[in-house]
Amino acid sequence: MNVNWKIKQKIKKILQNEQGMQITAPGSRSGFALVYPNTYRVGMSNLGLHVIYGQINRRDDTACERAFFPDRADVPLYTATNTPIMTIETQRPLAAFPLIGFILSFEMDYINALKILTWGKIPLRSDARAETDPLVIAGGPCATFNPEPVADYFDALVIGEGEEVIHTLIDTVYACRNKRLNRRDTLLALANIEGVYVPRFYHPVYAADGTLEKISHDPGVPSIVRRRWIRDLDQYRAATEVVTKNTEFSGMFLIEISRGCGRHCRFCMAGYCFRNPRVRSLAALRPMLERAASYGLKAGLVGAAVSDHPEIDRICAAIAELGIGISVSSLRADSVSEQLLAALAASGHKTVTFAPEAGSEAARAVINKGISDEDIYRAVKSAVRAGIPNVRLYFMVGLPYQEAKKEAASIIALARNIKSVMQEAQIKSQPKGKLTLSINTFVPKPFTPFQWTAMSPLAAAAETL
Ligand code: SF4
């Protein structure tokens, strides 16, 4: 296999700028290549990658190494020199690993995953792989909720949360290897792990009109693949494992404080697909917060609705005691506390983000958002008074059962009112705040109540915007 020297040097440079990565001498442990099918910068911003990397590397029999899709500027060099995708830790080609695990967080990454396999010199289709080829598995939100588009390309897909199942899966592969089982029998063993879907044993049966009639399955595998979810988040660490400046969250140490969401907005995967809603206790979070402090990084709190965490004010206090900053993504306007806003302001935040999603209360009732205009005004006022001058609002257009013109008009009206609230609440010594609207089209997501509703045609969405 050709390995381009320039590419190898570039990967080594990435490694030099990391802290917390684990490098094990090749051959001392069995290898597991963990692949994020997007660039290093995007992949290293994904907390799921860190969680699985940490889980696998805490085993004493397996060395987990990361691999990513090349930066766009490097793609011509990879293709021109026929260089395979290599891991960051030891710059070995993917094909050198007996187990390859992809993290599928976004459907748009499916294509990249296939390109990585091709460039990694691994047969693309599961049924084309030989006994000596790596086992190629995938996990992550998209593997769980929309596996079929890529079912022919992965030997197995993890349905649900990976923290527990990854260990059972690896143990099973090693047990099969020790028994010298062939590829098919190994996959059969994997198919019998709860939460593992091995597509080759399941067969869609279509009716004459082309609709799906049923899914039949081979003998020896369960008829239903059940989603795995962990009952007690406190049992698992979920924080940044490898620190680098080259991420979307540079200067931040990501810590997951909750998973799933009890609000059940009808468009949102977090509310339906990561059931049941769970929180990590402050006691379990404390060591992760201390780790953030040891790196001198802000604690980037991750969760579907961070302000809903029952201990959020105590978490803010613990972070303040450690003398580090705090960062969050968007906040629920009806649950954001004065203490959280004060902590964000003290951490230097100049912008706070809320997600009304729709301009009118009636539309918000349809999507079950559960936030009134008053909630939004109150939250914006509190944020500006706390010293956060700028406000960003997330909206969607093309929501089910909405008239495009009314949607647009209600967003404009709400934005005008919010602008007035911001002006009234403005602290004299502060510069004038900026209101930013981020407007996207509604995309129906699997397993949500809106999964079968239509997406707005491009022309209609463009007109509304
Ligand atoms: S949109 Fe936000 S509040 Fe609603 S279910 Fe999703 S994460 Fe929860």
Side-chain angles (χ1 to χ4, degrees):
M1 250 179 220
N2 292 334
V3 171
N4 182 270
W5 183 83
K6 253 194 199 167
I7 293 175
K8 208 166 180 174
Q9 288 310 108
K10 200 164 179 183
I11 296 177
K12 282 185 176 172
K13 207 163 169 201
I14 288 174
L15 201 54
Q16 283 162 10
N17 291 313
E18 290 186 337
Q19 289 172 277
M21 71 293 190
Q22 295 202 31
I23 303 177
T24 315
S28 59
R29 295 182 185 191
S30 188
F32 187 113
L34 183 64
V35 185
Y36 196 91
N38 208 311
T39 59
Y40 176 87
R41 187 179 176 83
V42 175
M44 288 303 288
S45 310
N46 182 280
L47 186 53
L49 174 120
H50 291 262
V51 169
I52 298 301
Y53 183 77
Q55 282 296 328
I56 299 176
N57 273 328
R58 281 191 276 283
R59 298 173 64 100
D60 57 13
D61 56 1
T62 311
C64 182
E65 303 189 14
R66 295 154 296 146
F68 301 89
F69 194 80
D71 286 342
R72 188 183 286 189
D74 294 334
V75 169
L77 188 58
Y78 271 88
T79 45
T81 58
N82 205 19
T83 299
I85 301 293
M86 291 176 280
T87 57
I88 301 290
E89 280 77 359
T90 58
Q91 301 94 51
R92 283 183 294 158
L94 283 192
F97 289 78
L99 262 171
I100 301 176
F102 279 78
I103 293 186
L104 299 177
S105 296
F106 301 101
E107 279 110 339
M108 299 293 274
D109 288 341
Y110 286 178
I111 304 293
N112 290 349
L114 302 189
K115 284 183 182 166
I116 287 175
L117 285 174
T118 308
W119 295 343
K121 321 292 179 211
I122 293 157
L124 201 50
R125 294 179 64 93
S126 168
D127 58 10
R129 289 182 198 128
E131 290 293 327
T132 50
D133 284 320
L135 282 175
V136 184
I137 61 173
C142 287
T144 298
F145 305 117
N146 199 5
E148 285 311 319
V150 284
D152 289 341
Y153 308 103
F154 290 100
D155 297 313
L157 294 120
V158 172
I159 307 298
E161 296 166 354
E163 285 98 330
E164 279 174 0
V165 77
I166 191 66
H167 294 295
T168 319
L169 192 147
I170 291 173
D171 289 342
T172 305
V173 169
Y174 294 167
C176 293
R177 189 193 289 167
N178 290 340
K179 286 189 212 156
R180 298 184 185 281
L181 295 189
N182 64 20
R183 192 177 186 91
R184 189 190 176 281
D185 288 345
T186 300
L187 289 173
L188 194 60
L190 293 184
N192 280 283
I193 300 172
E194 189 175 90
V196 176
Y197 169 43
V198 180
R200 71 172 58 191
F201 299 129
Y202 296 85
H203 314 286
V205 178
Y206 295 98
D209 64 358
T211 54
L212 182 66
E213 200 171 77
K214 63 174 183 174
I215 294 177
S216 69
H217 63 90
D218 290 350
V221 298
S223 56
I224 294 174
V225 180
R226 298 202 181 279
R227 175 176 66 93
R228 284 283 282 268
W229 59 283
I230 56 177
R231 270 49 179 179
D232 182 6
L233 284 191
D234 282 1
Q235 300 302 315
Y236 296 91
R237 182 161 105 190
T240 296
E241 294 285 335
V242 180
V243 174
T244 171
K245 285 198 173 121
N246 189 8
T247 85
E248 295 299 324
F249 306 112
S250 171
M252 231 182 269
F253 188 89
L254 300 180
I255 300 172
E256 185 195 50
I257 66 166
S258 62
R259 196 174 292 182
C261 181
R263 303 292 191 138
H264 304 314
C265 303
R266 295 191 172 100
F267 60 88
C268 177
M269 284 178 73
Y272 290 92
C273 304
F274 296 93
R275 278 178 154 165
N276 291 352
R278 288 143 289 159
V279 295
R280 208 168 249 113
S281 70
L282 175 57
L285 290 169
R286 215 176 272 281
M288 297 178 234
L289 296 172
E290 284 164 1
R291 216 168 137 83
S294 73
Y295 282 111
L297 296 172
K298 263 187 196 176
L301 304 185
V302 177
V306 165
S307 50
D308 279 0
H309 193 295
E311 291 185 288
I312 189 65
D313 288 344
R314 293 183 62 216
I315 294 170
C316 290
I319 292 171
E321 266 170 38
L322 288 165
I324 54 172
I326 179 174
S327 189
V328 298
S329 50
S330 71
L331 296 166
R332 283 270 316 184
D334 59 345
S335 64
V336 63
S337 68
E338 305 280 334
Q339 191 166 350
L340 176 54
L341 290 169
L344 290 170
S347 301
H349 279 262
K350 296 286 173 239
T351 303
V352 67
T353 304
F354 298 109
E357 319 287 5
S360 72
E361 288 189 349
R364 264 176 257 135
V366 170
I367 62 175
N368 200 34
K369 187 69 196 182
I371 291 178
S372 67
D373 290 352
E374 266 315 308
D375 290 330
I376 303 168
Y377 302 149
R378 199 170 32 241
V380 167
K381 193 168 158 185
S382 301
V384 176
R385 290 241 164 106
I388 306 173
N390 306 317
V391 175
R392 185 184 299 119
L393 301 174
Y394 290 151
F395 288 101
M396 283 184 282
V397 292
L399 283 164
Y401 318 113
Q402 302 305 311
E403 252 181 65
K405 276 194 183 135
K406 277 194 188 163
E407 272 187 309
S410 63
I411 290 173
I412 293 166
L414 184 69
R416 286 209 170 111
N417 290 344
I418 289 172
K419 192 75 195 166
S420 306
V421 171
M422 288 169 69
Q423 279 160 358
E424 278 165 29
Q426 192 195 336
I427 300 172
K428 292 238 157 47
S429 56
Q430 285 221 341
K432 220 170 160 190
K434 197 166 93 182
L435 176 64
T436 307
L437 308 188
S438 167
I439 308 178
N440 286 291
T441 48
F442 159 74
V443 180
K445 290 288 178 186
F447 297 98
T448 64
F450 287 162
Q451 68 173 331
W452 303 119
T453 56
M455 204 176 147
S456 182
L458 185 60
E463 200 189 321
T464 314
L465 290 171

